[in-house]
Amino acid sequence: MVIEPGRVLVFDADDTLWENNVLFERVIDDFLAWVDHPTLDRTEVRAILDDIERANAVTHGYGSKVFLRSLGECFQHLRERPATEAEQREIEDLAVALVEHRVELMPGVAEALDELAGRHELLLLTKGEREEQQRKLDASDLLHHFRAAHIVPEKTVDTYRWLAKEHDFDPADAWMIGNSPKSDILPARAAGMNAVFIPNENTWVLEHDELDASDPSVLHLAAFPDLLRHF
């Protein structure tokens, strides 16, 4: 499949343009080792943390601050008491890399965007805490490739419909490119857009969902540079 020039390509950011969740996973591994619960194994503690994160995502959104909140609440649940000031500092120390917002681009992203920007109109759509996401976008040195970049609290069908209206494009002529079935692929398809799924083995468990393997409007690629063979 080769897509003719002049289409609208909408890109996810976290875990599509740069690594993100792998940083959280490293912190979680350190947290599980640090907590070292006497009766629950790591899988059971992780399940408790996932439930807490799921609830906090609905109430408080996303980002490192909400994640630290979830770690603190998980600690309190496991120990049946709030963390002391010293323990809270230890939790925060585990997450230094998140707070500093380091950005590690996926292989080939910058080079691929250079070429794609010469053939198509590029937009960026990312969800999360606005200031945190903006800092990552600024640090990435990728913004010049995009006509516009939008930071939203959540990606729903209405989000994609709004994006098409805001930039005056036909959803059928646009492609959403991302790693999350839940936030990138399924709602974009429901809004009438095509989609490119580029899986990331470190995708957050709360972003997992089932895709229809027979859907001809979803292109499955192994890596970001593979976009150049189709677009």
Side-chain angles (χ1 to χ4, degrees), residues 67-169:
F67 177 65
L68 285 172
R69 179 190 187 108
S70 295
L71 292 181
E73 290 180 4
C74 185
F75 179 92
Q76 180 172 342
H77 177 88
L78 294 170
R79 296 293 175 85
E80 299 182 341
R81 62 169 177 81
T84 64
E85 288 187 14
E87 288 166 338
Q88 186 60 41
R89 284 195 299 271
E90 288 190 67
I91 293 173
E92 292 170 359
D93 287 344
L94 292 175
V96 167
L98 302 179
V99 176
E100 293 181 351
H101 308 292
R102 300 169 188 167
V103 172
E104 177 185 341
L105 295 183
M106 297 290 189
V109 161
E111 296 81 3
L113 289 178
D114 279 338
E115 291 194 40
L116 292 170
R119 300 197 286 266
H120 302 280
E121 178 180 327
L122 309 189
L123 300 173
L124 188 144
L125 181 68
T126 182
K127 72 175 184 180
E129 197 278 321
R130 178 168 295 276
E131 291 185 6
E132 181 171 333
Q133 291 302 98
Q134 188 63 55
R135 282 193 291 268
K136 286 191 283 187
L137 289 172
D138 292 341
S140 74
D141 196 29
L142 296 176
L143 278 173
H144 63 283
H145 294 295
F146 301 98
R147 172 181 163 188
H150 298 284
I151 301 170
V152 296
E154 191 62 87
K155 292 178 181 176
T156 65
V157 177
D158 286 341
T159 306
Y160 290 97
R161 290 173 177 158
W162 166 84
L163 189 71
K165 183 176 181 180
E166 177 74 9
H167 291 283
D168 192 26
F169 64 79

Side-chain angles (χ1 to χ4, degrees), residues 5-217:
R7 299 304 174 98
V8 175
L9 306 185
V10 184
F11 290 85
D12 171 51
D14 289 340
D15 293 319
T16 298
L17 300 182
W18 54 71
E19 293 284 9
N20 180 66
N21 196 59
V22 66
L23 301 178
F24 288 82
E25 290 296 331
R26 291 169 186 164
V27 175
I28 290 172
D29 283 344
D30 291 343
F31 175 78
L32 296 177
W34 176 69
V35 168
D36 191 25
H37 196 274
T39 60
L40 301 177
D41 63 26
R42 290 170 68 97
T43 301
E44 292 170 316
V45 174
R46 178 62 190 266
I48 292 170
L49 177 58
D50 286 345
D51 286 343
I52 291 171
E53 285 196 279
R54 187 176 290 108
N56 279 337
V58 173
T59 306
H60 302 290
Y62 304 93
S64 58
K65 292 180 181 178
V66 178
F67 177 65
L68 285 172
R69 179 190 187 108
S70 295
L71 292 181
E73 290 180 4
C74 185
F75 179 92
Q76 180 172 342
H77 177 88
L78 294 170
R79 296 293 175 85
E80 299 182 341
R81 62 169 177 81
T84 64
E85 288 187 14
E87 288 166 338
Q88 186 60 41
R89 284 195 299 271
E90 288 190 67
I91 293 173
E92 292 170 359
D93 287 344
L94 292 175
V96 167
L98 302 179
V99 176
E100 293 181 351
H101 308 292
R102 300 169 188 167
V103 172
E104 177 185 341
L105 295 183
M106 297 290 189
V109 161
E111 296 81 3
L113 289 178
D114 279 338
E115 291 194 40
L116 292 170
R119 300 197 286 266
H120 302 280
E121 178 180 327
L122 309 189
L123 300 173
L124 188 144
L125 181 68
T126 182
K127 72 175 184 180
E129 197 278 321
R130 178 168 295 276
E131 291 185 6
E132 181 171 333
Q133 291 302 98
Q134 188 63 55
R135 282 193 291 268
K136 286 191 283 187
L137 289 172
D138 292 341
S140 74
D141 196 29
L142 296 176
L143 278 173
H144 63 283
H145 294 295
F146 301 98
R147 172 181 163 188
H150 298 284
I151 301 170
V152 296
E154 191 62 87
K155 292 178 181 176
T156 65
V157 177
D158 286 341
T159 306
Y160 290 97
R161 290 173 177 158
W162 166 84
L163 189 71
K165 183 176 181 180
E166 177 74 9
H167 291 283
D168 192 26
F169 64 79
D170 183 349
D173 291 331
W175 293 75
M176 178 63 200
I177 299 162
N179 69 291
S180 169
K182 177 178 177 289
S183 294
D184 300 327
I185 310 305
L186 294 177
R189 289 292 296 121
M193 294 174 62
N194 307 285
V196 180
F197 177 51
I198 306 177
N200 184 318
E201 64 181 2
N202 295 304
T203 295
W204 190 22
V205 64
L206 300 190
E207 293 295 332
H208 293 183
D209 211 331
E210 293 295 323
L211 296 179
D212 181 358
S214 65
D215 186 348
S217 294

